[in-house]
Amino acid sequence: MAARGGTAKAKVAIPQLSWKAVRAAPIVLVSGPEDVLAERAATMLRDALRSEDPSLEVSDLEADGYARGTLLTLASPSLFGEPRLIRVSGVEKASDEFLADALDYLADPADGTTVVLRHRSGVRGKKLLDAIRAGEGRGIEVVCAELRRDPEKQDFAADEFRLAGRRIAPAALRALVGAFSDDLGELAAACRQLIADVPGDVDEATVARYYGGRVETTAFEVADAAIAGRHGEALIALRHALDSGADPVPMVAAFAMKVRTMAKVAGARGAAAGSLGLAPWQVDRARRDLIGWTDEGLGSAIQALAAADAAVKGAERDPVFALERLIGVIAARGRVEA
């Protein structure tokens, strides 16, 4: 029985691992507030299981909108015995029905099934967490604590490149973290952008060309201001970024990354994050960004992005004007004046 008063902690009898050390187990508790690390751990686990058996069946559940019996149904062996991965989000706000089923499931986890439970923080579900940590269900815990210090963020970014089989110079790594020190999600997105766009090793000059080497102003700050409809603020941020040496090509790429994510979320309202190929934090951010936008506006913005991308890559003489024109369309929520 859990201790009363909230002063005592349940004994932890299971392995507690970092996100990089995630591995399969009947129960994988992914705890802590850092959603980016949790998403990375879940993706690595899925990829590892799928590499062992491509027939892996993946299911997503939301613990707060749960229907009694669903977990046991999904975990039940199939006719052909395919391995199962069941990912449960929002355990910190789980319904009573989910908590009851999950506690029952711990007594006899299904063979060949991995259940991932995502719990960010809070006391909701404490009985379930205490049972898992005490060893029921033969689980492990992946701890995703918030990264507060720059060295921790540098380690994270370095791992992004290492896992992609790429190298980034130490000075480039420090510059990249300096530009995105306030938002781990945007740091992760910047790493992916460089990995996708830049052949070979990433050096400091490349980071400076993409992100201007400037802590105060990044391409994403310009995009955020424009998407929120703050036209003047976006233009000022653009000027600061360009004066600091930022290149128009990655500026447009930052807009494209955010607007395309918004369009994906807008086109699949109510869908689980996993089914969209996005992390929960990405879906939440996109939903906030979509306030004030219409489907028609998104369509116009995507067309403007395509034109701006061509313009900054040589189709027009003035890439800065192309960026300013794009900001105008985005800040107007895609509404084009007749």
Side-chain angles (χ1 to χ4, degrees):
M1 181 177 294
R4 296 181 182 274
T7 58
K9 292 184 178 180
K11 181 180 179 181
V12 176
I14 61 173
Q16 290 187 304
L17 311 174
S18 74
W19 68 276
K20 294 179 286 186
V22 65
R23 57 177 172 81
I27 303 292
V28 179
L29 171 61
V30 182
S31 64
E34 194 57 81
D35 289 330
V36 175
L37 302 185
E39 183 266 336
R40 288 291 185 274
T43 299
M44 290 173 62
L45 178 59
R46 180 203 62 197
D47 292 346
L49 291 171
R50 188 164 282 161
S51 69
E52 294 176 1
D53 192 332
S55 67
L56 177 73
E57 291 189 5
V58 181
S59 302
D60 291 297
L61 294 176
E62 295 182 2
D64 57 339
Y66 177 83
R68 191 71 188 264
T70 304
L71 175 62
L72 303 180
T73 299
L74 290 175
S76 299
S78 69
L79 180 63
F80 299 103
E82 298 93 345
R84 307 290 182 88
L85 172 62
I86 302 172
R87 302 180 296 197
V88 185
S89 62
V91 177
E92 71 278 359
K93 51 186 178 180
S95 65
D96 291 339
E97 290 79 5
F98 174 78
L99 294 174
D101 274 2
L103 285 165
D104 288 343
Y105 183 80
L106 292 183
D108 187 22
D111 291 337
T113 296
T114 298
V115 177
V116 178
L117 303 175
R118 175 69 179 119
H119 189 285
R120 298 187 79 255
S121 63
V123 299
R124 181 66 175 166
K126 183 178 185 300
K127 184 177 179 180
L128 173 62
L129 269 59
D130 287 349
I132 294 170
R133 288 168 175 155
E136 293 185 38
R138 309 189 310 278
I140 63 172
E141 182 173 5
V142 178
V143 181
C144 299
E146 184 178 359
L147 302 187
R148 297 181 180 275
R149 298 166 50 245
D150 279 354
E152 295 173 328
K153 296 173 186 177
Q154 288 174 14
D155 287 344
F156 167 79
D159 283 326
E160 293 285 274
F161 285 89
R162 179 181 58 80
L163 292 171
R166 302 290 298 281
R167 296 179 60 187
I168 180 170
L173 183 65
R174 290 191 295 271
L176 186 62
V177 171
F180 296 97
S181 61
D182 292 334
D183 191 317
L184 191 66
E186 290 189 350
L187 174 60
C191 292
R192 290 196 300 270
Q193 184 74 40
L194 290 171
I195 290 167
D197 284 4
V198 180
D201 296 347
V202 175
D203 57 19
E204 189 174 11
T206 302
V207 173
R209 179 167 63 87
Y210 265 69
Y211 301 114
R214 183 185 177 93
V215 175
E216 293 85 356
T217 301
T218 71
F220 287 101
E221 289 183 18
V222 180
D224 286 341
I227 287 168
R230 302 191 297 271
H231 187 200
E233 181 180 328
L235 288 177
I236 292 171
L238 172 65
R239 286 297 174 188
H240 286 168
L242 293 174
D243 290 345
S244 301
D247 188 275
V249 173
M251 300 287 287
V252 173
F255 274 94
M257 186 182 301
K258 295 182 74 68
V259 172
R260 287 170 185 161
T261 300
M262 290 165 59
K264 183 181 289 189
V265 171
R269 298 186 191 277
S275 67
L276 298 175
L278 300 170
W281 66 266
Q282 290 176 299
V283 175
D284 291 342
R285 179 60 185 266
R287 285 173 177 160
R288 293 196 300 271
D289 288 340
L290 281 166
I291 296 172
W293 284 83
T294 65
D295 291 344
E296 293 76 12
L298 280 172
S300 297
I302 290 170
Q303 290 178 346
L305 273 168
D309 185 64
V312 298
K313 291 177 179 177
E316 296 182 13
R317 293 183 178 180
D318 190 345
V320 174
F321 174 73
L323 265 173
E324 292 173 342
R325 183 176 61 206
L326 173 64
I327 287 173
V329 174
I330 299 292
R333 307 297 210 285
R335 293 186 290 270
V336 180
E337 297 295 334

